[in-house]
Every structure is written in C-alpha cells, then in structure tokens.
Amino acid sequence: LKARKAPVFQDWTQDFKDLEFSRGWMSVVNETNKDFMSSLGIAILKAQRGMHDDLEGMLFEDGPTAQYVIGVCLTAHGDENDLHSEYDSYRNVAVEVLDKMP
C-alpha cells in the first residue's frame, strides 16, 4: 500500500498567515500541525457540502466566518493544478470519513 500524502495548504499568503483557529491546549500538545491541517481540509470539504459544524468548531465566535476561511484556504494555493490535486486528496479522505459516519 502506498501512504497518502497529507494535504497541505500553501501558507505563504498573508491572508492565510492571519487566520487564527480555536485550538485547545490538548490539541496543541497532542496533535501535530500536519494533523491539524488535514482536519482543516476535511472540515472545509464538509462545510462546502453543507456540514459546517467541524469548521465552525475550529473558529473563534468573533473571528472570520467559515466562508472567509474557505476562500482563504482554497485560494492560498499558488497553482491551479495544485488546487485540483489538493482538492482530490481532501475529497478522497472526506469520502472515507463520511462513509464511516452513521
């Protein structure tokens, strides 16, 4: 079996760097940034399909909206081909997660 490449957002844009997420200390200590980014990617895909709870749970109440975060994250990719590749990667993971949901 081939290991999947973890989806990664290109984080060099200032809008992306300015995003702040609500992460408890346990998450910061027990979850790598790579794990968090994968969770963010899945939350974005779910939000695009009308399931906003995961993404909204990652945001501060007085912070940016889920739609804004989606826009920043998806436009943070420098190349259109990278965007499609990352989208496919997120979609594959999200399909597996959603298939396991009751």
Side-chain angles (χ1 to χ4, degrees):
L1 294 175
K2 182 180 176 186
R4 281 197 178 100
K5 176 186 166 220
V8 176
F9 291 113
Q10 315 261 339
D11 60 358
W12 59 76
T13 67
Q14 192 59 48
D15 286 339
F16 188 86
K17 290 178 182 180
D18 289 342
L19 290 176
E20 292 184 12
F21 296 96
S22 176
R23 288 179 76 181
W25 278 108
M26 291 303 289
S27 171
V28 172
V29 171
N30 293 321
E31 181 180 47
T32 67
N33 286 339
K34 182 176 165 182
D35 292 337
F36 178 77
M37 294 301 278
S38 292
S39 297
L40 176 61
I42 292 169
I44 287 172
L45 277 181
K46 289 171 74 175
Q48 288 180 308
R49 284 154 183 78
M51 297 175 276
H52 298 94
D53 291 346
D54 288 355
L55 183 56
E56 289 175 357
M58 299 173 126
L59 304 175
F60 292 104
E61 287 183 23
D62 61 346
T65 65
Q67 283 304 113
Y68 177 81
V69 171
I70 291 168
V72 167
C73 289
L74 294 183
T75 58
H77 296 271
D79 183 307
E80 187 69 19
N81 291 327
D82 288 343
L83 176 60
H84 291 296
S85 173
E86 297 298 329
Y87 176 83
D88 288 341
S89 182
Y90 288 129
R91 182 177 46 79
N92 292 339
V93 172
V95 165
E96 289 178 16
V97 169
L98 294 173
D99 283 345
K100 293 177 183 177
M101 294 176 75

